[in-house]
Amino acid sequence: QVQLVESGGGLVQAGGSLRLSCAASGRAFSSYAMGWFRQAPGKEREFVVTTSWSGGSTYYADSVKGRFTISKDNAKNTVYLQMNSLKPEDTAVYYCAATHTLRLPVGRDEYDYWGQGTQVTVSS
C-alpha cells in the first residue's frame, strides 16, 4: 500500500543542477530503505543511491558519487535527490523506490515499491 510520486525532472545543460522529489504515503518509513534508480532508452534500470529512512547510512553508485546527494524530510515523508554537475550520461527516467529492509539494497529486484518516474535530460 506504499505509494511513491516523483517530481522535479526537466531539461538542463551539462554542468547544471536539478533536485528530484519523491513523496511517499501509506506507512511510516522508519524501517524502510529508500533508493533512486534511473533508466535510459534501451538500457536496464540501474542503481543510483540508497539510504535508510532514518538517515543512518547511504550508498552511492560510483557514477554519481560526489555529484548527487540524497536527503529526507521525515515530517513530509519525502526523499530528495540533489543532482549537481550533471552530465549527458545522466539522462534517464529517474525512479524512486522503497522496500522494508535493514539493508541497503542496490539491485532493482530487491525493491517492492516504485514511483512512475520523472524524466531528466542533460544536454551537451
Side-chain angles (χ1 to χ4, degrees):
Q1 297 298 317
V2 175
Q3 293 183 322
L4 307 173
V5 180
E6 303 96 335
S7 62
L11 174 64
V12 298
Q13 191 176 19
S17 299
L18 281 175
R19 190 182 74 161
L20 307 183
S21 299
C22 173
S25 63
R27 194 192 186 280
F29 285 83
S30 60
S31 300
Y32 278 71
M34 305 294 297
W36 285 96
F37 288 74
R38 63 188 184 185
Q39 187 168 21
K43 298 182 179 179
E44 295 184 351
R45 193 169 300 185
E46 67 175 355
F47 167 78
V48 175
V49 61
T50 184
T51 186
S52 61
W53 187 257
S54 64
S57 58
T58 60
Y59 182 77
Y60 293 87
D62 288 341
S63 59
V64 306
K65 185 167 56 179
R67 300 187 298 120
F68 291 10
T69 303
I70 191 169
S71 62
K72 300 173 293 295
D73 186 330
N74 292 334
K76 296 181 178 180
N77 281 345
T78 300
V79 179
Y80 305 96
L81 183 65
Q82 179 66 46
M83 306 185 296
N84 299 325
S85 301
L86 283 163
K87 305 174 181 179
E89 52 262 45
D90 295 320
T91 296
V93 176
Y94 282 71
Y95 296 90
C96 179
T99 192
H100 192 276
T101 181
L102 297 177
R103 301 176 60 251
L104 294 175
V106 301
R108 59 187 181 274
D109 293 338
E110 299 181 81
Y111 287 84
D112 298 316
Y113 308 101
W114 294 86
Q116 295 301 306
T118 185
Q119 177 71 48
V120 172
T121 303
V122 184
S123 63
S124 59

